[in-house]
Amino acid sequence: MSDIILGIESSCDDTSAAVIRDGWLLSNVIASQDVHKAYGGVVPELASRAHELNIVPVVSQALARAGVSPQELDAIAFTRGPGLLGSLLVGTSFAKALGLALDVPIIMVNHLQGHLLAGFVRQEGKEVREPAFPYLCLLVSGGNSQIVRVDSPLEYTILGQTIDDAVGEAFDKCSKMMGLGYPGGPVIDRLAKEGDPARFKFAKPHVPGLDYSFSGVKTSLLYFVRDRIAEDPDFMEKNKEDICASFQKTLIDILMDKLIKAARQTGIKDIAIGGGVSANSGLRQRVEAEGRKRGWRTFLPEFKFTTDNAAMIAIAGYYHYLAGERTSLDVAPVSRLSEF
Ligand code: KG4
């Protein structure tokens, strides 16, 4: 007998549904929301309204593409948090209603655990290459920057995390400061490829242990840009590639210093990355280069699994399902990790 799990993800501005059978991906549908671009960031109320519009067609499409009828589902996994409360409410309520209608269990998933396990989604026709436990995962997104030791699919420990901004926020705020639009990460990544990463220097934080801080480097960029524009109003336009390359390098240096330290302290050599910022080409190259130098086995997610997606929620839900976990219908979504 096979286990078929529907995953639902609605924590921020992507509505996604995926179907997996025994850990193998049958479908993964994502509806992104362009409505936020005009505002330079995600507007929570608009996000939850867009989720309401998207959720039925997205789930229907995921089931149709998988060739699975609702009656064949064994469980419905959904993101309980962390994320935007209004957005989470849509996915959570939908999962409860569908679970009730079909009389199948619902399983709550921590969004971050989804990112940690994204590498375990198996795909037909693709090589199965998974990290061995325990492995380290650098989890980097618009809401998080963490180094996590993953001991088993359901057991993990956060070894270090940001004490202020997430690294994705630093990318996004830098882009906003430079008038390059939202989300900033992909634009900065693209421009950085044309620039000189050694041209400008930005302040790096001194934070003890394995924790991160990104607010100082952001302020350093703000003052740098303000002072240079005072001397030459066209400074930004003339140098945007070099600024992006130098700023991106600083962020990657900060991330890598602590990741290397964590690998050294734990002796762990299987190293994964995950979350939206793991799409960054500079970070991916650095992780691979450090891996070659230090004898790590590195695991970079496919691009479609770097941003929010329901395949990772379905796989995490699958492991909870196998462990016999079921979630009560009176569950409420939570916006913060600490409430989980
Ligand atoms: O994981 P994610 O889709 O959403 C959450 O924050 O949960 O991550 C979004 C973040 C944004 O800050 C975006 O700018 C960043 O990921 N991002 C990137 C790249 N693509 C997306 N940052 C750097 N380089 C990229 N190529």
Side-chain angles (χ1 to χ4, degrees), residues 144-190:
N144 291 279
S145 305
Q146 300 176 327
I147 298 176
V148 185
R149 192 189 68 224
V150 188
D151 294 312
S152 78
L154 302 182
E155 291 168 300
Y156 55 93
T157 306
I158 297 170
L159 302 182
Q161 59 189 325
T162 182
I163 56 169
D164 42 52
D165 291 352
V167 64
E169 272 179 279
F171 272 106
D172 293 337
K173 286 178 183 168
C174 163
S175 172
K176 201 169 180 179
M177 248 182 257
M178 295 176 66
L180 298 174
Y182 173 87
V187 190
I188 293 178
D189 192 355
R190 183 168 45 76

Side-chain angles (χ1 to χ4, degrees), residues 301-319:
E302 272 181 57
F303 283 104
K304 67 176 178 208
F305 294 144
T306 58
T307 45
D308 293 344
N309 66 86
M312 67 185 198
I313 301 305
I315 194 75
Y318 173 61
Y319 286 117

Side-chain angles (χ1 to χ4, degrees), residues 95-218:
K96 285 187 197 182
L98 192 61
L100 202 57
L102 297 171
D103 196 22
V104 296
I106 58 167
I107 297 173
M108 64 181 186
V109 171
N110 176 335
H111 179 80
L112 302 174
Q113 193 187 13
H115 277 301
L116 295 178
L117 298 176
F120 291 86
V121 177
R122 296 183 169 180
Q123 297 176 81
E124 209 58 56
K126 291 197 178 152
E127 182 203 359
V128 175
R129 188 176 172 274
E130 293 161 0
F133 298 103
Y135 64 92
L136 294 182
C137 184
L138 176 69
L139 192 50
V140 276
S141 71
N144 291 279
S145 305
Q146 300 176 327
I147 298 176
V148 185
R149 192 189 68 224
V150 188
D151 294 312
S152 78
L154 302 182
E155 291 168 300
Y156 55 93
T157 306
I158 297 170
L159 302 182
Q161 59 189 325
T162 182
I163 56 169
D164 42 52
D165 291 352
V167 64
E169 272 179 279
F171 272 106
D172 293 337
K173 286 178 183 168
C174 163
S175 172
K176 201 169 180 179
M177 248 182 257
M178 295 176 66
L180 298 174
Y182 173 87
V187 190
I188 293 178
D189 192 355
R190 183 168 45 76
L191 289 170
K193 287 181 187 150
E194 319 284 316
D196 174 4
R199 171 104 186 272
F200 303 116
K201 296 267 174 286
F202 299 104
K204 284 193 203 159
H206 297 283
V207 184
L210 296 173
D211 285 338
Y212 287 120
S213 164
F214 292 99
S215 72
V217 61
K218 184 189 68 192

Side-chain angles (χ1 to χ4, degrees), residues 2-249:
S2 58
D3 295 315
I4 304 182
I5 313 286
L6 169 71
I8 295 175
E9 156 62 30
S10 71
S11 64
C12 189
D13 61 341
D14 292 307
T15 320
S16 180
V19 180
I20 61 164
R21 179 192 282 129
D22 297 331
W24 291 84
L25 188 66
L26 301 181
S27 66
N28 185 37
V29 176
I30 304 176
S32 301
Q33 306 176 0
D34 283 341
V35 63
H36 308 287
K37 282 209 167 97
Y39 301 92
V42 176
V43 183
E45 183 56 33
L46 295 180
S48 48
R49 284 187 217 169
H51 283 304
E52 278 180 349
L53 290 176
N54 292 340
I55 190 95
V56 172
V58 164
V59 170
S60 306
Q61 238 183 70
L63 290 169
R65 282 193 203 168
V68 163
S69 74
Q71 287 69 27
E72 288 177 277
L73 295 175
D74 290 292
I76 301 165
F78 64 97
T79 305
R80 184 188 177 205
L84 300 171
L85 208 52
S87 294
L88 291 163
L89 257 174
V90 177
T92 305
S93 310
F94 189 87
K96 285 187 197 182
L98 192 61
L100 202 57
L102 297 171
D103 196 22
V104 296
I106 58 167
I107 297 173
M108 64 181 186
V109 171
N110 176 335
H111 179 80
L112 302 174
Q113 193 187 13
H115 277 301
L116 295 178
L117 298 176
F120 291 86
V121 177
R122 296 183 169 180
Q123 297 176 81
E124 209 58 56
K126 291 197 178 152
E127 182 203 359
V128 175
R129 188 176 172 274
E130 293 161 0
F133 298 103
Y135 64 92
L136 294 182
C137 184
L138 176 69
L139 192 50
V140 276
S141 71
N144 291 279
S145 305
Q146 300 176 327
I147 298 176
V148 185
R149 192 189 68 224
V150 188
D151 294 312
S152 78
L154 302 182
E155 291 168 300
Y156 55 93
T157 306
I158 297 170
L159 302 182
Q161 59 189 325
T162 182
I163 56 169
D164 42 52
D165 291 352
V167 64
E169 272 179 279
F171 272 106
D172 293 337
K173 286 178 183 168
C174 163
S175 172
K176 201 169 180 179
M177 248 182 257
M178 295 176 66
L180 298 174
Y182 173 87
V187 190
I188 293 178
D189 192 355
R190 183 168 45 76
L191 289 170
K193 287 181 187 150
E194 319 284 316
D196 174 4
R199 171 104 186 272
F200 303 116
K201 296 267 174 286
F202 299 104
K204 284 193 203 159
H206 297 283
V207 184
L210 296 173
D211 285 338
Y212 287 120
S213 164
F214 292 99
S215 72
V217 61
K218 184 189 68 192
T219 312
S220 163
L221 175 75
L222 180 71
Y223 291 151
F224 167 83
V225 165
R226 186 197 59 189
D227 295 348
R228 297 298 178 101
I229 286 183
E231 292 161 13
D232 173 7
D234 296 329
F235 175 79
M236 189 90 91
E237 192 46 44
K238 285 191 232 160
N239 297 286
K240 61 176 187 283
E241 290 83 1
D242 289 348
I243 300 173
C244 286
S246 303
F247 187 69
Q248 177 171 296
K249 179 180 181 300

